[in-house]
């Protein structure tokens, strides 16, 4: 079943297109693949990027916050980089280009998600404390990109490289993965001083 991808805000897409057309932005990017790409470069697969916050072992309700839109930058043969935008007071603005293992991992996770029988809205969910990024398959395909916390039917697919002990490209229900994350983010037990 095809994913129900969101349309990125026009200013987000336009800022990426403008940056791709800027020799300075491309030259200063730390992306050798982007700088050496021959042929036209096009932004595709816009995904809203959320950050998971307030994950604590003491309970409480975690929340998500929309922090940007990420686009894969495709060359003639493959994705060579990604470009990200960030919210500003005036809307969306180009933030940076980058490359690395998350590009191929994102493409693989999206292909796997397209084969699922249930329709989902694709998003990215970051857990900065664990240096972890997941493909968030949101069950409410009509939801606004800025809204929502992963629901019981949502799936999170950790992208590679995933933290030790968490399998990349294995879909987890949100509650299942939240339990693992909560345990991982718990502070270590205090050592008692000898009496």
């Amino acid at each position: 079943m095809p994913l129900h991808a969101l349309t990125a805000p026009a200013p987000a897409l336009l800022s990426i297109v403008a940056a791709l057309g800027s020799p300075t932005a491309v030259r200063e990017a730390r992306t050798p693949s982007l700088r050496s790409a021959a042929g036209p470069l096009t932004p595709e697969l816009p995904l809203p990027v959320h950050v998971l916050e307030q994950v604590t072992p003491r309970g409480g309700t975690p929340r998500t916050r929309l922090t940007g839109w990420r686009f894969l930058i495709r060359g003639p043969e493959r994705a060579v980089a990604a470009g990200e935008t960030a919210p500003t007071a005036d809307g969306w603005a180009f933030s940076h280009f980058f490359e690395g293992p998350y590009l191929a991992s994102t493409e693989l996770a999206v292909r796997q998600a397209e084969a699922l029988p249930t329709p989902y809205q694709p998003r990215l969910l970051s857990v900065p404390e664990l240096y972890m990024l997941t493909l968030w398959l949101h069950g409410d395909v009509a939801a606004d990109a800025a809204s929502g916390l992963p629901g019981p039917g949502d799936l999170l697919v950790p992208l590679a490289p995933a933290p030790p002990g968490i399998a990349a490209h294995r879909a987890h229900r949100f509650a299942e993965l939240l339990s693992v994350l909560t345990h991982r983010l718990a502070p270590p037990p205090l050592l008692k001083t000898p009496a």
Side-chain angles (χ1 to χ4, degrees), residues 174-184:
F174 175 62
E176 170 192 339
L177 191 56
L178 183 61
S179 172
V180 173
L181 299 178
T182 302
H183 177 70
R184 285 288 181 89

Side-chain angles (χ1 to χ4, degrees), residues 13-41:
L13 176 60
L14 291 174
S15 71
I16 293 290
V17 170
L20 284 171
S22 165
T24 303
V26 171
R27 187 175 53 252
E28 290 180 0
R30 295 182 180 175
T31 53
S33 295
L34 183 63
R35 289 194 305 267
S36 64
L41 298 170

Side-chain angles (χ1 to χ4, degrees), residues 12-194:
L13 176 60
L14 291 174
S15 71
I16 293 290
V17 170
L20 284 171
S22 165
T24 303
V26 171
R27 187 175 53 252
E28 290 180 0
R30 295 182 180 175
T31 53
S33 295
L34 183 63
R35 289 194 305 267
S36 64
L41 298 170
T42 56
E44 60 182 39
L45 189 61
L47 296 169
V49 180
H50 290 257
V51 172
L52 185 63
E53 298 176 328
Q54 297 180 344
V55 179
T56 65
R58 290 179 224 95
T61 304
R63 63 185 183 99
T64 63
R65 179 174 50 90
L66 180 65
T67 59
W69 280 83
R70 183 172 296 175
F71 299 79
L72 291 184
I73 308 300
R74 183 160 300 283
E77 298 175 11
R78 62 181 178 86
V80 296
E84 198 157 310
T85 63
T88 67
D90 297 327
W92 294 94
F94 170 74
S95 175
H96 61 284
F97 290 119
F98 62 95
E99 61 184 58
Y102 285 134
L103 296 178
S105 188
T106 300
E107 287 184 306
L108 175 59
V110 166
R111 279 194 309 273
Q112 290 172 330
E114 287 173 338
L116 295 172
T118 305
Y120 290 102
Q121 182 190 89
R123 302 172 173 202
L124 292 172
L125 184 65
S126 173
V127 184
E129 297 89 346
L130 295 177
Y131 302 100
M132 180 178 175
L133 186 64
T134 69
L135 178 65
W136 170 10
L137 299 173
H138 193 45
D140 183 357
V141 296
D144 180 82
S147 68
L149 180 70
D154 290 6
L155 299 175
L156 297 178
V157 181
L159 300 180
I166 298 176
H169 297 284
R170 180 181 169 266
H172 301 265
R173 295 274 176 213
F174 175 62
E176 170 192 339
L177 191 56
L178 183 61
S179 172
V180 173
L181 299 178
T182 302
H183 177 70
R184 285 288 181 89
L185 294 172
L190 295 175
L191 297 175
K192 294 183 181 179
T193 54

